[in-house]
Amino acid sequence: INNNNTFYTDSNGFGMVKRVAYFTKYPRTTAQSVSNDYYPVNSLIMIEDAKSSDFMAVMNDRSQGGSAYKNGRVELMINRRGYSDDDLGMKEALNEYDSK
């Protein structure tokens, strides 16, 4: 799907909001500027082909951050944090954070 860096997110049940990826307007200078392209997704994110009526929608069951800043790809963020060991491998609690 060639969505021309445009995608739609829901507005808490009040309709879809058209989003255009930020980096197409301004050059990326730091890795932190990637966060400019993420928006709240309460229940749906959608990309639509610019020339045809083809589209792809992802419905989620909880609020997440989402983006489609690369053509044909939708990304949703997951908060991976566990305060206790889940006994599934690492033998430690999971507390991911980016220390860059």
Side-chain angles (χ1 to χ4, degrees):
I1 294 177
N2 182 12
N3 58 314
N4 287 336
N5 302 89
T6 302
F7 58 101
Y8 301 86
T9 61
D10 67 320
S11 178
N12 208 18
F14 293 111
M16 300 296 286
V17 178
K18 182 178 180 179
R19 312 284 190 178
V20 179
Y22 183 81
F23 83 95
T24 60
K25 300 177 205 168
Y26 304 101
R28 276 187 210 269
T29 56
T30 65
Q32 190 175 21
S33 65
V34 173
S35 63
N36 293 331
D37 292 329
Y38 278 83
Y39 295 91
V41 178
N42 293 310
S43 61
L44 184 117
I45 184 169
M46 181 182 81
I47 57 175
E48 184 176 24
D49 194 292
K51 295 181 181 175
S52 70
S53 60
D54 295 338
F55 70 94
M56 182 190 76
V58 177
M59 297 183 77
N60 52 343
D61 62 345
R62 61 186 52 94
S63 294
Q64 295 173 314
S67 181
Y69 67 89
K70 289 191 178 180
N71 275 329
R73 186 170 88 179
V74 171
E75 291 187 6
L76 290 170
M77 288 191 287
I78 303 170
N79 184 11
R80 292 180 41 160
R81 182 168 287 179
Y83 296 106
S84 61
D85 183 19
D86 59 3
D87 295 323
L88 294 176
M90 293 295 290
K91 302 295 181 203
E92 63 184 28
L94 180 64
N95 186 13
E96 288 189 347
Y97 59 93
D98 192 3
S99 60
K100 292 180 184 177

